[in-house]
Amino acid sequence: MVHFVIQWDLPDQKPNLTIYANNAKNDWLPATLAHKGVIEIRNYRNPLEVSPHVAITVDFETLDNWRDFIDSADYIRIMRELRILGCRNFTVNVWAPSKYFPESMTPEKK
């Protein structure tokens, strides 16, 4: 499994924030979820919603599925539209299980 994390700051203007929310709900998240190899999408926000920061995580079955998504027209369009709306300070991370350390561990039974 590959864990893709992307963060950004929301637009400042209220009309753009409304457009952002509608696009995320009706277009961007469904288009991403429909992409081949996507297991799950999670959307994170400060619980009090007092900061402009947003984080979205997308879990993919394989690294190839993630690469296909990053190269897709949908991803390119979504990122372009986010920038046009005034989102900024983008940060991206990709995580996968380590080949040098076990993916999961459980305590030894005594």
Side-chain angles (χ1 to χ4, degrees), residues 58-74:
V58 185
D59 292 339
F60 292 91
E61 291 174 355
T62 67
L63 193 57
D64 288 334
N65 292 139
W66 170 76
R67 284 186 186 122
D68 289 342
F69 175 69
I70 293 300
D71 291 337
S72 73
D74 282 332

Side-chain angles (χ1 to χ4, degrees), residues 11-101:
D12 296 335
Q13 305 86 4
K14 187 168 170 71
N16 283 358
L17 196 54
T18 302
I19 294 168
Y20 165 89
N22 289 336
N23 281 356
K25 184 174 66 178
N26 299 320
D27 183 24
W28 301 334
L29 294 177
T32 301
L33 192 57
H35 194 83
K36 182 182 177 228
V38 171
I39 299 170
E40 185 177 24
I41 298 174
R42 291 182 208 93
N43 190 1
Y44 296 95
R45 186 84 203 273
N46 179 325
L48 302 176
E49 296 196 359
V50 293
S51 67
H53 313 299
V54 168
I56 291 182
T57 62
V58 185
D59 292 339
F60 292 91
E61 291 174 355
T62 67
L63 193 57
D64 288 334
N65 292 139
W66 170 76
R67 284 186 186 122
D68 289 342
F69 175 69
I70 293 300
D71 291 337
S72 73
D74 282 332
Y75 178 76
I76 294 166
R77 175 183 56 83
I78 290 166
M79 295 308 294
R80 182 178 297 129
E81 289 174 6
L82 288 172
R83 286 181 177 87
I84 290 170
L85 285 174
C87 295
R88 60 197 182 288
N89 297 330
F90 289 86
T91 307
V92 174
N93 289 292
V94 179
W95 298 88
S98 172
K99 60 184 174 183
Y100 302 110
F101 197 74

